[in-house]
């Protein structure tokens, strides 16, 4: 038996899977034997933003007063175990990660209290301040924009989200936006609603889904309906933005089936969507430049089949990766997927059939206690016979080096390319929080983007777990090119900058408040920005700004 186990372990090691086997064995050590340790009780202990109410400041008491403590039932619905089950530490750890991912807690911990009869689990959570108020103004060229918003991520302590914002501009244009999200409107089902008005144009979105919530879930589905009358905004460098009136309606239905295991996830997905889209360039307030192609009225049906494979290697609970002192969960994994699809397009009374192909590949790895990296590649194409009609590609690599607990060296390389011959080309853009912090928002646009970001992050010494300060020295370098242009590294713009970071887990969770001053080396012009969150995180990049929170 021992020889057989050695053969299995050697095989796993050769395949590169032994580290996961070791971690899994450790996680389920309590349940891997024939002895079952029953769960006698589950004690849920939700706490407000600040504990020890008698000894906190007036400001903290005010924040507690304005906040509803998360209900016990909200935490209970996320538990992957129940009273009477045998203790499974892998499910305990997964529950911890799921609770932290909800975005309403600053602290989550599940403790096990063993006795001769069994185990008592104590689930302790501490809320973060989820009410958001904003009053801001910005200047872009000759146009001034103002924004007022209010939002709550944990309405009445029930884990329901709403947000309202009103944006005005010096050109008399206004936009009102309302969104509501209920992650569990009915058992495991989620609801999302958006209503937006821009001048007299209305956009409405309705979404209903049953997402994957645990590794053991076997299926998920999603339904969305969109009615969008808002103008499409095209950003043109050194010129005023161009609004193109449009009318869009779409409906999509997607279903995914898990056919793998907790260790090796294999998901087969099916998606059907219908879209009607029409632009009205003749009613645009400003003339449309000749170099902008406005497509004909379109009705299309898409049917896609995809397969995604993922090896869940390990999970790391850490601090100081993209935050300063907040808890962060890092998934170490390998993944691969591909997609095939058929699109039926009806333009100008003609119906064509286009083939679609896509591939994804990614990983995140821990090479040592001092180095982590992540990589992701996405490529989608659409063909009419052998003619390439549309392409959307993106790839990034992030590397994190930790010479000490207080400092981190971060490097990122990003490439993006998108172009369509028969759809409206909305260009990629760089500037401010999207890549180049020494440039204005959307000051560089094109179909291809090459971007490099380097940061030295330093956390100032502090014993406090309520607030932490840090700084960052950064270099941003990048540029955008049109489809018919070759990438020329000599054209890359370079920005240098310095930033201050503030991490308040009780208010921002793992996000941090970021103050950056970036200087374009070519113009010597400084750009000051204040935002929440990093420009990029360990396993994702920032391409759009959050419209709600």
């Amino acid at each position: 038996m021992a020889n057989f186990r050695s053969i299995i372990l050697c095989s796993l090691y050769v395949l590169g899977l032994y580290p996961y086997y070791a971690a899994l064995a450790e996680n389920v050590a309590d349940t891997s034997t024939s002895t079952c340790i029953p769960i006698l009780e589950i004690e849920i202990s939700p706490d407000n933003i600040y504990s020890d109410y008698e000894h906190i400041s007036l400001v903290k008491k005010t924040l507690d007063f304005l906040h509803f403590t998360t209900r016990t039932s909200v935490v209970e619905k996320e538990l992957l175990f129940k009273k009477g089950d045998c203790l499974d530490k892998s499910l305990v750890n997964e529950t911890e990660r799921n609770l932290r991912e909800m975005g309403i807690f600053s602290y989550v911990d599940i403790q096990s209290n063993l006795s001769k009869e069994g185990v008592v689990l104590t689930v302790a959570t501490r809320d973060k301040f989820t009410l958001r108020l904003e009053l801001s103004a910005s200047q872009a060229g000759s146009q001034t924009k103002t924004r007022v918003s209010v939002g709550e991520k944990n309405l009445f302590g029930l884990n329901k989200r709403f947000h309202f914002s009103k944006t005005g501009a010096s050109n008399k244009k206004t936009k009102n936006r309302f969104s509501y999200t209920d992650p569990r409107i009915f058992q495991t089902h989620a609801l999302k609603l958006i209503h937006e008005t821009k001048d007299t144009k209305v956009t409405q979105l309705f979404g209903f889904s049953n997402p994957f919530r645990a590794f053991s879930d076997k299926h998920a589905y999603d339904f969305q309906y969109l009615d969008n009358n808002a103008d499409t905004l095209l950003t043109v460098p050194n010129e005023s933005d161009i609004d193109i009136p449009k009318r869009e309606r779409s409906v999509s239905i997607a279903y995914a089936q898990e056919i793998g295991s907790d260790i090796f996830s294999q998901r087969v997905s099916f998606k059907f969507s219908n879209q009607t889209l029409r632009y009205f360039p003749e009613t645009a307030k400003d003339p449309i430049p000749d170099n902008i192609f406005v497509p004909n009225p379109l009705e299309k049906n898409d049917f896609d089949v995809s397969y995604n494979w993922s090896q869940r290697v390990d999970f790391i609970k850490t601090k100081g990766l993209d935050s300063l002192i907040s808890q962060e969960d890092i998934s170490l994994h390998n993944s691969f997927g591909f997609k095939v699809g058929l699109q039926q397009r009806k333009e100008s009374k003609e119906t064509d059939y286009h083939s679609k192909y896509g591939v994804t590949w990614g990983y995140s790895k821990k090479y040592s206690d001092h180095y982590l990296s992540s990589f992701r590649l996405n490529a989608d194409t659409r063909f009419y016979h052998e003619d390439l009609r549309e392409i959307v590609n993106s790839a990034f690599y992030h590397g994190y080096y930790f010479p000490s607990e207080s400092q981190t060296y971060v490097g990122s390389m990003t490439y993006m390319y998108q172009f369509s011959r028969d759809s409206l080309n909305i260009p990629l853009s760089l500037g401010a929080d999207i890549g180049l912090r020494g440039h204005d928002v959307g000051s560089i646009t094109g179909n291809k983007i090459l971007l490099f970001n380097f940061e030295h992050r330093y956390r100032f010494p502090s014993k406090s777990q309520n607030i932490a300060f840090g700084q960052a020295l950064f270099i941003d370098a990048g540029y955008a090119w049109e489809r018919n242009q070759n990438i020329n590294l000599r054209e890359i713009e370079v920005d240098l900058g310095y930033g201050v970071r503030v991490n308040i887990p009780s208010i921002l969770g793992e996000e941090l408040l970021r103050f950056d001053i970036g200087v374009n080396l070519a113009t010597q012009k400084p750009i000051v920005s204040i935002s929440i969150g990093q420009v990029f995180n360990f396993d994702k990049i920032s391409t759009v700004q959050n419209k709600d929170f």
Side-chain angles (χ1 to χ4, degrees):
M1 189 70 179
N3 290 334
F4 177 74
R5 183 175 184 273
S6 299
I7 293 173
I8 294 297
L9 291 179
C10 289
S11 301
L12 291 171
Y13 181 82
V14 170
L15 294 173
L17 307 180
Y18 178 74
Y20 179 85
Y21 178 87
L24 181 64
E26 179 182 350
N27 284 338
V28 299
D30 294 321
T31 58
S32 58
T33 64
S34 58
T35 303
C36 170
I37 302 177
I39 299 177
L40 304 176
E41 290 290 341
I42 301 175
E43 300 175 353
I44 300 176
S45 179
D47 200 357
N48 209 339
I49 304 169
Y50 301 101
S51 55
D52 194 12
Y53 188 80
E54 297 296 329
H55 299 90
I56 61 177
S57 66
L58 179 61
V59 173
K60 293 181 179 179
K61 288 182 179 180
T62 302
L63 294 178
D64 267 349
F65 176 77
L66 294 173
H67 177 78
F68 288 86
T69 305
T70 301
R71 309 288 180 90
T72 300
S73 59
V74 171
V75 178
E76 190 175 15
K77 291 176 182 177
E78 302 299 325
L79 302 183
L80 301 178
F81 45 81
K82 63 182 183 298
K83 182 179 177 180
D85 287 352
C86 296
L87 177 64
D88 187 335
K89 289 195 68 177
S90 64
L91 292 181
V92 172
N93 294 336
E94 187 179 353
T95 299
E96 271 195 13
R97 293 192 298 269
N98 291 347
L99 288 170
R100 279 192 287 269
E101 192 177 357
M102 292 170 67
I104 60 176
F105 300 116
S106 64
Y107 175 81
V108 175
D109 187 50
I110 302 179
Q111 293 290 335
S112 304
N113 302 305
L114 288 169
S115 65
K116 293 182 179 179
E117 292 78 20
V119 62
V120 175
L121 296 180
T122 301
V123 183
T125 64
R126 184 177 302 133
D127 286 2
K128 71 177 184 181
F129 189 67
T130 50
L131 178 64
R132 293 290 183 265
L133 301 173
E134 177 190 353
L135 177 62
S136 63
S138 62
Q139 182 80 27
S142 60
Q143 188 175 125
T144 301
K145 291 185 179 181
T146 59
R147 174 180 160 100
V148 179
S149 71
V150 58
E152 171 60 67
K153 289 186 176 182
N154 193 10
L155 189 62
F156 304 123
L158 296 172
N159 188 31
K160 304 178 190 299
R161 303 183 176 196
F162 89 92
H163 186 269
F164 173 78
S165 65
K166 184 180 182 65
T167 304
S170 55
N171 59 4
K172 307 298 183 180
K173 292 184 178 181
T174 61
K175 181 173 71 174
N176 298 324
R177 177 182 171 88
F178 172 80
S179 67
Y180 175 80
T181 303
D182 190 338
R184 285 185 181 269
I185 190 172
F186 172 69
Q187 294 183 349
T188 60
H189 299 80
L191 173 71
K192 183 175 184 179
L193 301 172
I194 294 177
H195 181 87
E196 182 178 294
T197 60
K198 186 176 181 182
D199 298 328
T200 60
K201 308 295 180 65
V202 178
T203 298
Q204 294 178 318
L205 182 141
F206 170 82
F208 187 76
S209 63
N210 184 24
F212 287 109
R213 297 182 182 274
F215 294 159
S216 58
D217 288 349
K218 293 302 179 182
H219 68 271
Y221 58 82
D222 176 80
F223 171 82
Q224 282 199 11
Y225 172 78
L226 174 67
D227 187 353
N228 182 11
N229 292 322
D231 295 349
T232 294
L233 181 67
L234 292 181
T235 300
V236 181
N238 304 319
E239 296 183 21
S240 299
D241 294 339
I242 299 174
D243 290 318
I244 303 179
K246 76 162 185 253
R247 179 67 190 271
E248 175 188 9
R249 284 184 178 178
S250 66
V251 60
S252 66
I253 302 173
Y255 175 83
Q257 179 71 39
E258 174 68 73
I259 60 174
S261 63
D262 292 0
I263 302 175
F264 297 103
S265 171
Q266 300 181 72
R267 292 177 180 175
V268 180
S269 303
F270 306 89
K271 182 178 180 180
F272 171 80
S273 63
N274 169 268
Q275 181 191 43
T276 58
L277 178 62
R278 182 176 181 179
Y279 296 98
F280 302 91
E282 65 277 4
T283 63
K285 295 181 179 179
D286 300 313
I288 308 298
D290 294 335
N291 61 339
I292 295 180
F293 168 73
V294 179
N296 295 320
L298 168 68
E299 181 178 357
K300 64 177 183 177
N301 295 302
D302 288 85
F303 181 73
D304 301 316
V305 180
S306 60
Y307 170 83
N308 291 280
W309 173 90
S310 179
Q311 175 200 0
R312 300 177 177 122
V313 178
D314 200 359
F315 295 90
I316 302 174
K317 184 170 70 174
T318 185
K319 294 183 179 180
L321 190 70
D322 288 309
S323 69
L324 296 176
I325 56 174
S326 298
Q327 292 178 321
E328 299 174 79
D329 291 299
I330 303 301
S331 168
L332 303 181
H333 63 273
N334 299 305
S335 62
F336 174 79
F338 64 86
K339 177 181 71 176
V340 294
L342 180 68
Q343 182 178 104
Q344 180 194 51
R345 296 173 63 91
K346 185 176 181 180
E347 294 180 273
S348 302
K349 300 182 180 181
E350 294 184 3
T351 301
D352 295 321
Y353 293 88
H354 294 203
S355 57
K356 301 193 299 180
Y357 307 94
V359 63
T360 64
W361 174 38
Y363 66 78
S364 59
K365 294 183 179 180
K366 179 181 179 181
Y367 294 91
S368 69
D369 291 337
H370 300 285
Y371 188 71
L372 294 170
S373 73
S374 65
F375 166 81
R376 186 174 298 170
L377 167 69
N378 295 290
D380 290 286
T381 57
R382 175 168 56 86
F383 290 86
Y384 177 59
H385 298 302
E386 297 181 356
D387 184 19
L388 178 63
R389 291 299 180 92
E390 185 173 11
I391 183 169
V392 179
N393 292 343
S394 65
F396 72 80
Y397 178 86
H398 295 166
Y400 283 61
Y401 173 64
F402 312 90
S404 67
E405 292 184 357
S406 60
Q407 59 180 328
T408 307
Y409 291 91
V410 182
S412 168
M413 181 174 67
T414 305
Y415 171 76
M416 301 180 73
Y417 174 50
Q418 67 178 38
F419 180 77
S420 174
R421 294 181 56 187
D422 48 19
S423 300
L424 184 66
N425 275 294
I426 300 177
L428 301 167
S429 65
L430 288 175
D433 281 346
I434 304 180
L436 293 175
R437 283 165 278 186
H439 286 68
D440 289 322
V441 176
S443 57
I444 299 178
T445 64
N447 297 109
K448 307 174 189 175
I449 280 180
L450 184 61
L451 178 66
F452 303 91
N453 301 101
F454 304 94
E455 290 189 359
H456 174 251
R457 302 172 181 174
Y458 178 77
R459 184 179 76 247
F460 296 116
S462 173
K463 295 182 180 179
S464 173
Q465 294 301 310
N466 297 321
I467 187 171
F469 296 90
Q471 67 176 12
L473 300 173
F474 61 84
I475 302 174
D476 299 333
Y479 200 70
W481 294 268
E482 299 299 329
R483 175 176 178 264
N484 56 357
Q485 294 178 319
N486 294 323
I487 293 178
N488 185 352
L489 298 181
R490 295 182 179 180
E491 295 180 317
I492 285 181
E493 298 275 343
V494 180
D495 298 342
L496 299 180
Y498 172 81
V500 176
R501 309 289 184 257
V502 183
N503 190 194
I504 310 175
S506 59
I507 297 179
L508 300 176
E510 67 180 45
E511 300 283 9
L512 45 77
L513 187 62
R514 178 166 51 85
F515 302 85
D516 282 334
I517 302 177
V519 178
N520 180 1
L521 293 187
T523 64
Q524 302 295 310
K525 177 185 175 182
I527 299 291
V528 179
S529 61
I530 302 175
S531 186
I532 293 178
Q534 300 283 10
V535 171
F536 61 89
N537 292 77
F538 175 67
D539 201 23
K540 61 184 178 181
I541 56 177
S542 174
T543 56
V544 295
Q545 297 181 351
N546 196 319
K547 294 183 178 181
D548 294 333
F549 296 96

